[in-house]
């Protein structure tokens, strides 16, 4: 089931990209940055950085890798669901 992300009328959906591989982060950033419906607000290379940035940037959507150093993606998901329940999380994994 796909649900529409609710944002302030006319404003882009704020995205936070979280992946420990710089090439993946850069590729996602390049794919999404040219689209007016999205605003890339940050990138994180590990789970601890992801939580810090999500708390400060308040993205609408987090594109999250499961396999992360320091704090794994499942723990990041659980923490965000508890602390920032309005944030939507899209899990990315190559395995």
């Amino acid at each position: 089931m796909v649900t529409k992300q609710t944002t302030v009328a006319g404003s882009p959906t704020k995205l936070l990209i979280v992946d420990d591989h710089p090439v993946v982060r850069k590729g996602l950033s390049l794919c999404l940055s040219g689209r007016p419906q999205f605003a890339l607000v940050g990138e994180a290379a590990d789970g601890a950085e992801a939580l810090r940035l999500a708390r400060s940037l308040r993205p609408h959507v987090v594109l999250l890798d499961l396999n992360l150093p320091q704090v794994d993606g499942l723990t990041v998901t659980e923490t965000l669901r508890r602390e920032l329940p309005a944030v939507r999380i899209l899990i990315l994994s190559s395995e």
Side-chain angles (χ1 to χ4, degrees), residues 21 65-67 92-95:
H21 295 93
D65 183 16
L66 284 179
N67 299 313
L92 306 172
S93 184
S94 61
E95 297 179 32

Side-chain angles (χ1 to χ4, degrees), residues 46-81:
D46 61 61
E49 184 180 21
L51 290 171
R52 183 181 57 77
L53 288 176
R55 290 172 180 137
S56 66
L57 298 173
R58 304 290 178 156
H60 299 122
V61 176
V62 175
L63 302 176
L64 178 68
D65 183 16
L66 284 179
N67 299 313
L68 296 171
Q70 294 189 26
V71 180
D72 67 72
L74 289 177
T75 302
V76 171
T77 300
E78 291 169 348
T79 303
L80 290 178
R81 297 304 306 143

Side-chain angles (χ1 to χ4, degrees), residues 24-36:
V24 173
R25 287 195 314 273
K26 184 67 171 175
L28 288 169
S29 176
L30 286 172
C31 287
L32 298 169
S33 65
R35 301 183 185 274

